[in-house]
Amino acid sequence: MEDLHKFVNNQGPTEVPRASLTLLQLILAHRPKMIYTSFHKSTHWGFYDAYKPTFISGGLILGAGYQQSVKYTLGSLLLTIDVSNTAFYPKGPLMDLVARVFNKQRIQDVDRRSLQPGSIELARLSRFLRNVSVTASHIKRNYKIRGISDKTSTTFRFMSREQGVGMVTVQKYFSTNYKINLRYPDLPCVICSEDGQIVLPMELLDVKVGQRHQGKLSDIQTAEIIKLTAVKPDVRLRKIQDGRLELHDRGGSEPPTSELVRPWGLNVSKEMKMVDARVLSAPVVTGGRNSTITPRDGGLDYLHAHTFRFFHGIPLEAWSIAVFGNDRNVNMRAVEDLFSKQLPMECQKRGNAITARNFKDVLIFQDRNSVEATLVEANRVALSEASRDPSSAGYKCAQLIFCIFERKGDIYDQVKYLSETKLGLMTQGLLATKLFKGPFVGKGVPTNLALKVNAKIGGINTTVDGRYLNKLGQWGTVPTMILGADLSHPPAGVKDGVSVAAVVASMDRAFVTYRAVERIQGGRVDSITDLKGMVMEHARQFHAINGCLPQRFILYRDGVSEGQFQEVGLQEVGGLRSALRDLGIPDAKITFVIVSKRHSHRFFAADRRDADFKNGNLKPGTVIDKGVTHPFEFDFYLYSHAGIQGTSRPIHYHVLVDENQFSADEFQEITYSMCYTYARATKSVSLTPAVYYAHLAADRARYHRPGGVNGSESGAGGSIVGGSSAEAAAIAEFHAVMDSVKAKMYYI
């Protein structure tokens, strides 16, 4: 452990001694592993009690436990523990799990049409159960599920090895060989080998305990988990303290962890570490006609800011409304009230007036038309209505089409794909089941919709009056571009797939207008392979707008795990430098920052008076840059938002390269001030908007192919097999965003 001691005291090599750190992680995980079901990742361990589950929808259970990792800071090592929850497959009969997937208590209650060959539900069930370990009860043998057959025990036939028997059904085989009369022969068989040669009846299989669900959770499941696990800071603090005792002191029969680490000169403290923090002042949010809003507890009170106007409001003149799906399930009274009264009133007040139209004249129903035909007709109607107004500008296409969806699904995918890659239309989606439940929409809906509308059609909602951010905006001889970058990988559980890289870049002095570019690349590659080309495209657009190239670049990079910081940073900074050389600006300065949301650090106010009075979270603007940060590199934790539900998590910013030589005060305030400029929020957000926008753009890019997120039926889609040729085919499915759309913030 000597090299670790030297590293944390800045007396040895600057490289993290990974071998020693891994050894220490293993030692500290020994005792908890004896008590809990454990999972190991490169930077942390998870320990869960799989025997005390809570059921959630879709057949899964929620296992509660703890997450543990070892971190390093100047002069000491830190054992970080946080409460954690993860989804498991419930142990027991596989039939019971299948029933719960369909939200039924018994397999008898599952509609057999959902299990018919070729059904979407059967395909989803097969993906959901793939790689689940089961035990065959008739022979006490373990298998892994490889898929669900489209045949049942009565229709699946195979050649029996017994002489003279010939072809037999699965039902007949088990009746003859094991004297088992299957109770549910109409259920699909389970494939338990990669070659498909081992096929077993579902009713004879039991799911083994302690198996974590690796796939992506649905929106409903995620909401349920948040509701079950979101607790206030004081409750979470007690749980963490109990966790340290359970993991390292009193739980089980193993000796305390302190006895295990004592030979290495280490000791596990029983007290949480005390660190200093400070609270940055919030910037003044500025709008048009010298109107301002002073943030309070991270919020912008639009409701009572009657005189506040958008910084640059764009009138909405060419618009229409398209209703997709069964309009009988849409409360049209609420729709008319929103578009005839509430939204026009809000936009008039904010300075981006909507030209009044007869509601029925701008309303289009899909009926039996295709999605494309409906969008084309909505565009025609918007232009036709706008042309009747003498004062209206001449538009080549609708400024915005409001798209109301009965529910979010394939139609939403098609709308985004067609409008942004083929038709060149800006759209704004509204989900009927969320917004139009009653006769009127919620009181915050008009404001939030006005924010999105103005930003999408080219307006600017707000700027901020921040000391150091204003200094950046006073370009002089140093024009500045702020970039956000995100790399979105295929969902967990997808063996092969494509990744989406998105880079957004500011195009103005106020750092509020961001243009996005995306690239599709091979899955599971940690770095953005064409960062150079993406930055060059942004820089040329910046020149076209401002008449000069940027001389200062600040790039916030999301989606990098702690173990990949140096590797990814080295590659991408190299790509950025190469772009600057090819642009003819090799001396431009770079600041490259890794932004991390998924970490296990939680902070609690030592004095309750220093916390938010509503729920006890740390106040917006709280920054921690000592005591838990890197021994000699520049990083900090920032709470830039007000926690509404549960315990807030700060964002970790780690500056890998800083040729601009920002002081800690400068860079922290710049980062915090920008959090008040997020175009579609009435409050400060948890991380810098450039990263938020990059994440939204990467997510939107997955819709830009036939078939939407899941890809076309004929193409490789989201599940790529067969190597590079299949991967190339999947990448080729994606279509580029049209230039007329790309010029605006279409992704918000």
Side-chain angles (χ1 to χ4, degrees):
M1 297 293 170
E2 184 179 353
D3 51 355
L4 266 177
H5 285 288
K6 288 182 178 179
F7 176 76
V8 299
N9 288 292
N10 200 11
Q11 296 174 349
T14 57
E15 290 289 328
V16 178
R18 293 290 175 192
S20 298
L21 195 63
T22 300
L23 175 60
L24 184 56
Q25 297 264 30
L26 287 169
I27 293 170
L28 290 168
H30 171 76
R31 189 177 188 281
K33 283 171 61 180
M34 300 296 104
I35 308 170
Y36 291 93
T37 299
S38 63
F39 300 98
H40 177 237
K41 289 191 175 182
S42 59
T43 58
H44 66 268
W45 284 82
F47 308 105
Y48 301 94
D49 188 346
Y51 295 91
K52 297 178 181 178
T54 300
F55 278 96
I56 59 176
S57 63
L60 297 175
I61 58 175
L62 188 64
Y66 304 95
Q67 183 174 296
Q68 172 181 293
S69 60
V70 177
K71 305 296 181 183
Y72 36 81
T73 189
L74 185 62
S76 65
L77 294 165
L78 304 174
L79 176 63
T80 66
I81 297 173
D82 190 21
V83 295
S84 181
N85 296 271
T86 195
F88 287 86
Y89 294 97
K91 68 171 183 174
L94 178 60
M95 289 193 306
D96 290 352
L97 170 57
V98 172
R100 288 187 178 277
V101 168
F102 293 99
N103 295 315
K104 303 294 183 183
Q105 294 298 316
R106 305 180 307 162
I107 195 68
Q108 300 96 306
D109 299 329
V110 175
D111 188 342
R112 292 302 190 264
R113 289 175 297 182
S114 301
L115 301 175
Q116 287 183 346
S119 69
I120 295 175
E121 291 86 352
L122 185 63
R124 287 174 178 167
L125 179 66
S126 185
R127 289 195 298 269
F128 175 75
L129 293 176
R130 182 170 175 80
N131 293 325
V132 172
S133 294
V134 292
T135 300
S137 59
H138 64 294
I139 54 175
K140 304 302 180 186
R141 185 172 176 179
N142 297 328
Y143 295 96
K144 270 197 173 183
I145 295 175
R146 299 306 182 186
I148 302 298
S149 173
D150 58 0
K151 296 180 180 180
T152 68
S153 296
T154 58
T155 60
F156 196 109
R157 294 177 175 272
F158 64 97
M159 181 65 70
S160 175
R161 295 178 181 177
E162 298 177 19
Q163 187 174 1
V165 175
M167 299 292 288
V168 297
T169 65
V170 171
Q171 182 184 30
K172 180 69 174 176
Y173 176 82
F174 275 88
S175 176
T176 302
N177 290 62
Y178 293 100
K179 308 302 180 186
I180 297 175
N181 294 318
L182 298 178
R183 296 176 59 197
Y184 305 101
D186 61 333
L187 291 177
C189 294
V190 180
I191 302 170
C192 294
S193 64
E194 287 288 2
D195 60 6
Q197 296 299 305
I198 301 176
V199 179
L200 298 170
M202 188 182 293
E203 65 187 82
L204 299 183
L205 299 177
D206 293 311
V207 179
K208 298 179 70 176
V209 72
Q211 297 184 75
R212 189 170 55 163
H213 174 66
Q214 300 280 3
K216 180 178 174 59
L217 297 173
S218 69
D219 292 343
I220 294 174
Q221 290 170 326
T222 301
E224 288 177 353
I225 291 175
I226 292 173
K227 187 175 180 179
L228 288 168
T229 60
V231 295
K232 291 186 176 182
D234 56 340
V235 177
R236 194 179 193 105
L237 176 59
R238 288 195 297 272
K239 287 188 174 184
I240 291 173
Q241 291 169 330
D242 290 343
R244 191 203 66 80
L245 290 172
E246 288 291 327
L247 296 176
H248 298 290
D249 272 342
R250 70 187 180 200
S253 58
E254 295 291 315
T257 299
S258 292
E259 295 183 15
L260 294 175
V261 299
R262 191 173 296 128
W264 282 274
L266 300 173
N267 179 54
V268 180
S269 172
K270 294 183 179 181
E271 303 296 329
M272 297 183 74
K273 185 175 178 65
M274 298 289 291
V275 296
D276 292 330
R278 53 201 174 89
V279 180
L280 305 177
S281 298
V284 174
V285 176
T286 58
R289 297 185 181 178
N290 297 317
S291 60
T292 62
I293 297 180
T294 301
R296 182 177 180 182
D297 299 324
L300 306 176
D301 189 3
Y302 275 87
L303 191 61
H304 296 98
H306 302 294
T307 61
F308 184 82
R309 298 173 66 86
F310 292 147
F311 186 82
H312 177 47
I314 300 289
L316 181 60
E317 298 173 326
W319 61 280
S320 61
I321 305 165
V323 180
F324 293 91
N326 189 347
D327 57 279
R328 294 179 181 178
N329 297 327
V330 179
N331 188 330
M332 296 309 299
R333 178 183 173 187
V335 174
E336 182 173 5
D337 181 72
L338 175 63
F339 287 102
S340 297
K341 297 179 182 179
Q342 295 196 53
L343 184 60
M345 287 174 58
E346 181 66 22
C347 290
Q348 181 69 36
K349 184 164 59 177
R350 303 304 172 194
N352 63 323
I354 294 181
T355 301
R357 304 290 181 207
N358 185 303
F359 177 66
K360 293 183 179 180
D361 290 342
V362 292
L363 185 64
I364 304 298
F365 293 98
Q366 182 186 11
D367 294 327
R368 296 184 179 182
N369 297 318
S370 67
V371 172
E372 183 172 356
T374 304
L375 289 171
V376 170
E377 176 62 11
N379 181 58
R380 186 197 67 77
V381 166
L383 293 177
S384 175
E385 290 299 309
S387 66
R388 298 179 184 180
D389 188 347
S391 63
S392 176
Y395 296 101
K396 295 182 179 179
C397 66
Q399 289 175 279
L400 191 67
I401 297 174
F402 295 96
C403 298
I404 299 174
F405 301 100
E406 177 190 357
R407 60 182 181 274
K408 191 171 182 179
D410 294 342
I411 293 180
Y412 177 89
D413 296 5
Q414 291 181 58
V415 166
K416 294 303 179 183
Y417 162 65
L418 292 167
S419 63
E420 293 167 2
T421 68
K422 187 175 180 179
L423 302 176
L425 298 173
M426 296 292 291
T427 59
Q428 175 58 53
L430 298 98
L431 191 59
T433 55
K434 186 176 181 180
L435 295 180
F436 305 117
K437 294 180 180 179
F440 307 104
V441 297
K443 63 180 180 181
V445 171
T447 299
N448 289 324
L449 193 53
L451 287 164
K452 295 184 75 172
V453 167
N454 191 51
K456 277 193 173 184
I457 64 176
I460 296 174
N461 295 338
T462 60
T463 62
V464 294
D465 185 11
R467 190 176 30 158
Y468 296 117
L469 192 60
N470 285 352
K471 184 179 177 181
L472 279 186
Q474 296 169 359
W475 285 354
T477 57
V478 192
T480 301
M481 174 182 283
I482 293 176
L483 303 106
D486 184 35
L487 182 58
S488 171
H489 292 300
V494 176
K495 184 178 179 182
D496 301 291
V498 294
S499 294
V500 179
V503 177
V504 303
S506 62
M507 293 288 145
D508 63 335
R509 295 180 181 230
F511 311 110
V512 292
T513 302
Y514 286 82
R515 183 178 180 271
V517 296
E518 306 88 24
R519 297 285 189 274
I520 312 301
Q521 61 183 57
R524 306 307 174 189
V525 178
D526 290 315
S527 60
I528 298 175
T529 54
D530 190 32
L531 182 63
K532 173 183 176 179
M534 300 168 86
V535 171
M536 291 183 69
E537 182 177 337
H538 278 315
R540 287 170 178 147
Q541 186 65 26
F542 185 97
H543 184 275
I545 294 172
N546 300 291
C548 62
L549 287 169
Q551 297 295 325
R552 175 166 49 199
F553 292 80
I554 303 172
L555 193 152
Y556 292 91
R557 171 69 156 90
D558 189 23
V560 181
S561 63
E562 185 178 340
Q564 298 292 322
F565 275 16
Q566 296 301 327
E567 179 183 346
V568 171
L570 184 66
Q571 292 182 23
E572 295 187 358
V573 170
L576 187 51
R577 292 191 197 281
S578 180
L580 302 188
R581 286 194 297 270
D582 287 3
L583 287 166
I585 48 173
D587 296 328
K589 304 300 182 185
I590 297 170
T591 296
F592 189 94
V593 191
I594 301 290
V595 181
S596 301
K597 304 183 291 289
R598 297 179 180 90
H599 58 80
S600 56
H601 279 82
R602 294 292 186 277
F603 300 92
F604 305 91
D607 188 332
R608 185 67 173 80
R609 292 173 295 181
D610 293 328
D612 184 280
F613 73 94
K614 292 181 181 178
N615 52 30
N617 279 304
L618 294 181
K619 296 177 180 178
T622 300
V623 64
I624 301 102
D625 57 8
K626 295 178 181 178
V628 291
T629 51
H630 197 281
F632 42 84
E633 294 181 0
F634 176 30
D635 66 317
F636 58 94
Y637 293 87
L638 175 63
Y639 285 88
S640 54
H641 68 300
I644 299 174
Q645 184 174 230
T647 305
S648 298
R649 173 163 38 189
I651 301 300
H652 182 217
Y653 296 90
H654 194 125
V655 181
L656 294 185
V657 175
D658 186 23
E659 297 173 349
N660 291 297
Q661 298 182 338
F662 291 112
S663 69
D665 287 344
E666 286 177 332
F667 194 74
Q668 289 163 4
E669 187 183 286
I670 287 169
T671 301
Y672 179 48
S673 294
M674 286 192 295
C675 292
Y676 284 87
T677 65
Y678 187 52
R680 64 181 201 178
T682 58
K683 57 188 176 182
S684 174
V685 290
S686 61
L687 75 164
T688 186
V691 173
Y692 253 131
Y693 295 147
H695 178 74
L696 292 174
D699 182 65
R700 179 62 61 80
R702 292 195 177 274
Y703 295 94
H704 294 158
R705 58 175 169 176
V709 173
N710 296 318
S712 67
E713 294 181 2
S714 59
S719 180
I720 302 172
V721 293
S724 59
S725 61
E727 187 174 270
I731 292 174
E733 282 193 327
F734 288 85
H735 292 212
V737 177
M738 295 183 68
D739 289 341
S740 60
V741 175
K742 191 185 295 186
K744 299 183 176 69
M745 295 172 68
Y746 66 91
Y747 48 83
I748 63 171

